[in-house]
Amino acid sequence: MLSVNNLEVVYDDVVLVLRGVSLDVPHGTVVALLGANGAGKTTLLRAVTGLLVAHRGKITKGSVRLDGTDITRADPAQVVRGGVGQVMEGRRVFAEMTVEENLRTGAHTRRRAEYRESVDRVFDLFPVLAERRRATAGYLSGGEQQMLAIGRALMARPRLLLLDEPSLGLAPRLVEQVGEIIAQINGQGTSVLLVEQNAVMALSIASRGYVLEVGKVVRDGPAGELLADEDIREFYLGSTDDTGRRSLAEVKSYRRKKRWSA
Ligand SMILES: Nc1ncnc2c1ncn2[C@@H]1O[C@H](COP(=O)(O)OP(=O)(O)OP(=O)(O)O)[C@@H](O)[C@H]1O
Ligand SMILES: [Mg+2]
Protein backbone atom coordinates (compact mmCIF):
# COMPACT_ATOMS: atom_id res chain seq x y z
CA MET A 1 0.00 0.00 0.00
CA LEU A 2 2.54 2.59 1.20
CA SER A 3 6.22 2.12 0.58
CA VAL A 4 8.85 4.57 1.80
CA ASN A 5 12.32 3.94 0.46
CA ASN A 6 15.59 5.30 1.78
CA LEU A 7 14.03 8.68 2.42
CA GLU A 8 16.18 11.67 3.22
CA VAL A 9 14.60 14.96 4.32
CA VAL A 10 16.25 18.31 4.89
CA TYR A 11 14.75 21.46 6.46
CA ASP A 12 15.95 24.92 5.47
CA ASP A 13 18.38 23.31 3.01
CA VAL A 14 20.72 22.32 5.85
CA VAL A 15 19.06 20.42 8.70
CA LEU A 16 19.13 16.71 7.84
CA VAL A 17 16.20 15.20 9.74
CA LEU A 18 15.49 11.88 8.01
CA ARG A 19 18.61 9.95 7.11
CA GLY A 20 17.57 7.14 4.85
CA VAL A 21 14.30 5.83 6.28
CA SER A 22 12.53 2.84 4.74
CA LEU A 23 9.13 1.66 5.88
CA ASP A 24 6.20 -0.31 4.48
CA VAL A 25 2.53 -0.31 5.29
CA PRO A 26 1.12 -3.46 3.68
CA HIS A 27 -2.47 -3.28 2.47
CA GLY A 28 -5.02 -3.68 5.26
CA THR A 29 -2.58 -3.50 8.16
CA VAL A 30 -1.81 -1.19 11.07
CA VAL A 31 1.85 -0.22 11.28
CA ALA A 32 3.22 1.59 14.33
CA LEU A 33 5.96 4.21 14.05
CA LEU A 34 7.54 4.80 17.45
CA GLY A 35 10.22 7.19 18.58
CA ALA A 36 11.08 9.88 21.11
CA ASN A 37 10.49 13.60 20.68
CA GLY A 38 12.32 14.97 17.68
CA ALA A 39 13.06 11.58 16.11
CA GLY A 40 11.43 12.64 12.84
CA LYS A 41 8.05 10.91 13.02
CA THR A 42 5.99 13.94 12.03
CA THR A 43 8.52 14.76 9.33
CA LEU A 44 8.00 11.32 7.80
CA LEU A 45 4.23 11.88 7.69
CA ARG A 46 4.75 15.30 6.11
CA ALA A 47 6.99 13.71 3.49
CA VAL A 48 4.23 11.24 2.61
CA THR A 49 1.45 13.83 2.42
CA GLY A 50 3.34 16.49 0.48
CA LEU A 51 3.23 18.93 3.38
CA LEU A 52 7.00 19.35 3.72
CA VAL A 53 7.09 22.34 1.43
CA ALA A 54 4.88 24.29 3.83
CA HIS A 55 7.55 23.74 6.49
CA ARG A 56 10.54 24.64 4.32
CA GLY A 57 11.42 20.97 4.10
CA LYS A 58 12.56 18.98 1.10
CA ILE A 59 13.02 15.35 0.11
CA THR A 60 16.63 15.11 -1.01
CA LYS A 61 16.82 11.36 -1.58
CA GLY A 62 14.64 8.27 -1.75
CA SER A 63 11.04 7.75 -2.76
CA VAL A 64 7.47 7.38 -1.55
CA ARG A 65 5.11 5.07 -3.42
CA LEU A 66 1.40 4.58 -2.96
CA ASP A 67 0.10 1.34 -4.49
CA GLY A 68 3.07 1.40 -6.81
CA THR A 69 2.55 5.01 -7.94
CA ASP A 70 5.38 7.40 -7.22
CA ILE A 71 4.11 10.22 -5.00
CA THR A 72 7.51 11.45 -3.83
CA ARG A 73 6.91 15.03 -4.88
CA ALA A 74 3.13 15.01 -5.18
CA ASP A 75 1.24 17.96 -3.72
CA PRO A 76 -1.11 17.48 -0.74
CA ALA A 77 -4.29 17.52 -2.85
CA GLN A 78 -2.97 14.75 -5.10
CA VAL A 79 -2.11 12.61 -2.09
CA VAL A 80 -5.59 13.09 -0.63
CA ARG A 81 -7.11 12.14 -3.98
CA GLY A 82 -4.91 9.06 -3.92
CA GLY A 83 -6.82 7.92 -0.84
CA VAL A 84 -4.59 9.09 1.99
CA GLY A 85 -6.24 10.70 5.01
CA GLN A 86 -4.41 12.21 7.91
CA VAL A 87 -4.84 13.49 11.41
CA MET A 88 -2.03 15.85 12.20
CA GLU A 89 -0.41 16.49 15.54
CA GLY A 90 -2.43 18.35 18.12
CA ARG A 91 -6.00 17.45 17.10
CA ARG A 92 -6.72 20.34 14.80
CA VAL A 93 -10.42 21.05 14.68
CA PHE A 94 -12.20 24.23 13.67
CA ALA A 95 -12.98 25.51 17.15
CA GLU A 96 -15.73 27.93 16.07
CA MET A 97 -17.62 25.37 14.04
CA THR A 98 -20.00 22.71 15.29
CA VAL A 99 -19.14 19.03 15.27
CA GLU A 100 -21.28 18.48 12.18
CA GLU A 101 -19.75 21.44 10.33
CA ASN A 102 -16.29 20.11 11.11
CA LEU A 103 -17.22 16.76 9.63
CA ARG A 104 -18.61 18.44 6.52
CA THR A 105 -15.23 20.10 5.87
CA GLY A 106 -13.69 16.65 5.70
CA ALA A 107 -16.07 15.30 3.07
CA HIS A 108 -15.05 15.42 -0.56
CA THR A 109 -18.29 14.25 -2.03
CA ARG A 110 -21.25 16.26 -3.23
CA ARG A 111 -23.45 13.18 -3.27
CA ARG A 112 -25.90 13.30 -0.43
CA ALA A 113 -26.21 9.56 0.11
CA GLU A 114 -22.46 9.13 0.22
CA TYR A 115 -22.10 12.02 2.65
CA ARG A 116 -24.82 10.58 4.87
CA GLU A 117 -23.14 7.19 4.86
CA SER A 118 -19.82 8.71 5.94
CA VAL A 119 -21.42 10.73 8.73
CA ASP A 120 -23.27 7.64 9.92
CA ARG A 121 -20.02 5.69 9.97
CA VAL A 122 -18.33 8.39 12.06
CA PHE A 123 -21.25 8.65 14.48
CA ASP A 124 -21.30 4.89 14.73
CA LEU A 125 -17.61 4.84 15.71
CA PHE A 126 -17.97 7.85 18.00
CA PRO A 127 -21.45 7.92 19.58
CA VAL A 128 -20.37 10.89 21.70
CA LEU A 129 -19.98 12.97 18.53
CA ALA A 130 -23.50 12.07 17.48
CA GLU A 131 -24.79 13.26 20.83
CA ARG A 132 -22.90 16.50 20.51
CA ARG A 133 -23.31 17.07 16.80
CA ARG A 134 -24.53 20.63 17.25
CA ALA A 135 -21.99 21.53 19.93
CA THR A 136 -19.21 24.00 19.15
CA ALA A 137 -16.02 22.02 18.65
CA GLY A 138 -13.94 24.36 20.79
CA TYR A 139 -16.00 23.38 23.82
CA LEU A 140 -15.43 19.64 23.45
CA SER A 141 -13.03 17.85 25.77
CA GLY A 142 -9.55 16.97 24.51
CA GLY A 143 -10.60 13.38 23.92
CA GLU A 144 -13.73 14.42 22.02
CA GLN A 145 -11.71 16.81 19.87
CA GLN A 146 -9.31 14.00 19.01
CA MET A 147 -12.26 11.82 18.02
CA LEU A 148 -13.61 14.66 15.90
CA ALA A 149 -10.22 15.09 14.19
CA ILE A 150 -10.19 11.37 13.36
CA GLY A 151 -13.82 11.51 12.29
CA ARG A 152 -13.16 14.39 9.94
CA ALA A 153 -10.30 12.49 8.30
CA LEU A 154 -12.62 9.50 7.80
CA MET A 155 -15.17 11.65 5.97
CA ALA A 156 -13.00 11.52 2.84
CA ARG A 157 -13.09 7.70 2.99
CA PRO A 158 -9.33 7.21 2.99
CA ARG A 159 -7.81 3.86 2.09
CA LEU A 160 -4.79 4.75 4.18
CA LEU A 161 -5.03 6.77 7.38
CA LEU A 162 -2.01 8.54 8.88
CA LEU A 163 -2.35 9.35 12.58
CA ASP A 164 0.12 11.56 14.42
CA GLU A 165 0.10 10.79 18.16
CA PRO A 166 -3.66 10.45 18.60
CA SER A 167 -3.25 9.48 22.25
CA LEU A 168 -1.17 12.49 23.25
CA GLY A 169 -2.44 14.10 26.43
CA LEU A 170 -5.36 11.73 26.90
CA ALA A 171 -6.21 9.89 30.11
CA PRO A 172 -5.31 6.17 30.11
CA ARG A 173 -8.90 5.06 29.70
CA LEU A 174 -9.28 7.28 26.65
CA VAL A 175 -5.97 6.11 25.20
CA GLU A 176 -7.31 2.59 25.32
CA GLN A 177 -10.54 3.70 23.69
CA VAL A 178 -8.69 5.48 20.88
CA GLY A 179 -6.69 2.29 20.34
CA GLU A 180 -9.87 0.23 20.09
CA ILE A 181 -11.36 2.68 17.61
CA ILE A 182 -8.25 2.58 15.42
CA ALA A 183 -8.45 -1.21 15.41
CA GLN A 184 -12.11 -0.94 14.44
CA ILE A 185 -11.35 1.49 11.60
CA ASN A 186 -8.72 -0.92 10.35
CA GLY A 187 -11.24 -3.76 10.62
CA GLN A 188 -13.44 -1.82 8.20
CA GLY A 189 -10.68 -2.01 5.60
CA THR A 190 -8.57 1.10 6.14
CA SER A 191 -4.79 0.69 6.38
CA VAL A 192 -3.20 2.74 9.17
CA LEU A 193 0.20 4.26 9.83
CA LEU A 194 0.11 5.10 13.51
CA VAL A 195 2.71 7.45 14.97
CA GLU A 196 2.80 7.06 18.73
CA GLN A 197 4.89 7.54 21.82
CA ASN A 198 2.53 5.21 23.61
CA ALA A 199 4.28 2.05 22.46
CA VAL A 200 2.01 -0.36 24.30
CA MET A 201 -1.18 0.99 22.79
CA ALA A 202 0.33 1.23 19.32
CA LEU A 203 1.99 -2.19 19.30
CA SER A 204 -1.04 -3.96 20.70
CA ILE A 205 -3.09 -2.99 17.64
CA ALA A 206 -0.33 -2.95 15.01
CA SER A 207 1.02 -5.92 13.11
CA ARG A 208 4.45 -4.36 12.67
CA GLY A 209 6.39 -1.60 14.33
CA TYR A 210 9.33 0.64 13.51
CA VAL A 211 11.44 2.56 16.01
CA LEU A 212 12.83 5.83 14.71
CA GLU A 213 15.74 7.52 16.41
CA VAL A 214 17.40 10.72 15.19
CA GLY A 215 16.13 10.19 11.68
CA LYS A 216 17.00 6.53 11.33
CA VAL A 217 15.09 3.29 11.85
CA VAL A 218 16.98 1.56 14.66
CA ARG A 219 14.58 -1.33 15.04
CA ASP A 220 11.67 -2.91 13.24
CA GLY A 221 9.77 -6.13 13.45
CA PRO A 222 6.49 -7.87 14.24
CA ALA A 223 4.56 -5.84 16.83
CA GLY A 224 4.38 -8.76 19.26
CA GLU A 225 8.13 -9.13 19.19
CA LEU A 226 8.72 -5.44 19.88
CA LEU A 227 6.11 -5.43 22.61
CA ALA A 228 7.91 -8.28 24.37
CA ASP A 229 11.29 -6.62 23.94
CA GLU A 230 12.83 -5.63 27.25
CA ASP A 231 14.67 -2.61 25.95
CA ILE A 232 11.60 -1.21 24.28
CA ARG A 233 9.59 -1.78 27.41
CA GLU A 234 12.19 -0.13 29.55
CA PHE A 235 12.50 2.84 27.26
CA TYR A 236 8.83 3.45 26.66
CA LEU A 237 7.39 2.30 29.93
CA GLY A 238 10.19 3.27 32.26
CA SER A 239 9.97 6.93 31.38
CA THR A 240 6.42 8.07 31.11
CA ASP A 241 7.29 11.61 32.18
CA ASP A 242 8.62 13.82 29.42
CA THR A 243 11.68 14.88 31.36
CA GLY A 244 12.86 11.34 31.97
CA ARG A 245 13.05 10.29 28.35
CA ARG A 246 16.33 8.72 27.42
CA SER A 247 17.61 7.55 24.13
CA LEU A 248 16.83 3.96 23.24
CA ALA A 249 20.50 3.69 22.34
CA GLU A 250 21.47 4.53 25.91
CA VAL A 251 19.13 1.96 27.34
CA LYS A 252 20.32 -0.96 25.33
CA SER A 253 23.67 -2.54 25.89
CA TYR A 254 26.50 -1.95 23.47
CA ARG A 255 26.29 -5.49 22.16
CA ARG A 256 22.63 -5.15 21.41
CA LYS A 257 23.22 -1.78 19.86
CA LYS A 258 25.66 -3.33 17.46
CA ARG A 259 23.18 -6.02 16.54
CA TRP A 260 20.41 -3.49 15.90
CA SER A 261 22.39 -1.12 13.79
CA ALA A 262 24.06 -3.86 11.79
N1 LIG B 1 10.03 23.24 9.92
C1 LIG B 1 11.15 22.83 10.50
N2 LIG B 1 12.31 23.48 10.30
C2 LIG B 1 13.47 23.04 10.86
N3 LIG B 1 13.56 21.95 11.64
C3 LIG B 1 12.43 21.27 11.90
C4 LIG B 1 11.17 21.65 11.35
N4 LIG B 1 10.24 20.78 11.75
C5 LIG B 1 10.87 19.90 12.54
N5 LIG B 1 12.19 20.18 12.63
C6 LIG B 1 13.20 19.40 13.37
O1 LIG B 1 13.24 18.10 12.83
C7 LIG B 1 13.43 17.13 13.86
C8 LIG B 1 12.32 16.10 13.79
O2 LIG B 1 11.10 16.74 14.09
P1 LIG B 1 9.71 15.96 14.04
O3 LIG B 1 8.68 16.96 14.37
O4 LIG B 1 9.61 15.25 12.76
O5 LIG B 1 9.90 14.92 15.21
P2 LIG B 1 8.82 13.99 15.93
O6 LIG B 1 9.40 12.64 15.97
O7 LIG B 1 7.51 14.16 15.30
O8 LIG B 1 8.81 14.60 17.40
P3 LIG B 1 7.60 14.76 18.46
O9 LIG B 1 7.46 13.45 19.14
O10 LIG B 1 8.10 15.83 19.37
O11 LIG B 1 6.38 15.17 17.70
C9 LIG B 1 13.48 17.90 15.15
O12 LIG B 1 14.82 18.08 15.51
C10 LIG B 1 12.83 19.21 14.82
O13 LIG B 1 13.37 20.25 15.61
MG1 LIG C 1 5.71 14.81 15.96
Side-chain angles (χ1 to χ4, degrees), residues 119-160:
V119 173
D120 288 346
R121 177 189 178 199
V122 171
F123 284 166
D124 204 44
L125 281 165
F126 305 106
V128 63
L129 294 184
E131 279 165 32
R132 309 211 57 192
R133 69 179 77 190
R134 278 179 254 290
T136 306
Y139 293 128
L140 300 178
S141 71
E144 289 163 352
Q145 288 189 20
Q146 185 59 271
M147 291 173 193
L148 179 54
I150 297 173
R152 193 179 56 195
L154 289 176
M155 289 299 292
R157 304 159 169 255
R159 293 179 300 121
L160 170 67

Side-chain angles (χ1 to χ4, degrees), residues 238-252:
S239 59
T240 42
D241 64 319
D242 281 332
T243 51
R245 243 173 245 294
R246 286 148 298 168
S247 150
L248 183 57
E250 285 168 30
V251 171
K252 64 206 178 189

Side-chain angles (χ1 to χ4, degrees), residues 11-12 17 36-43 46 55 89 165 197:
Y11 283 115
D12 296 319
V17 166
N37 291 118
K41 306 180 297 296
T42 298
T43 299
R46 284 178 186 154
H55 297 268
E89 246 172 334
E165 306 209 36
Q197 289 203 14

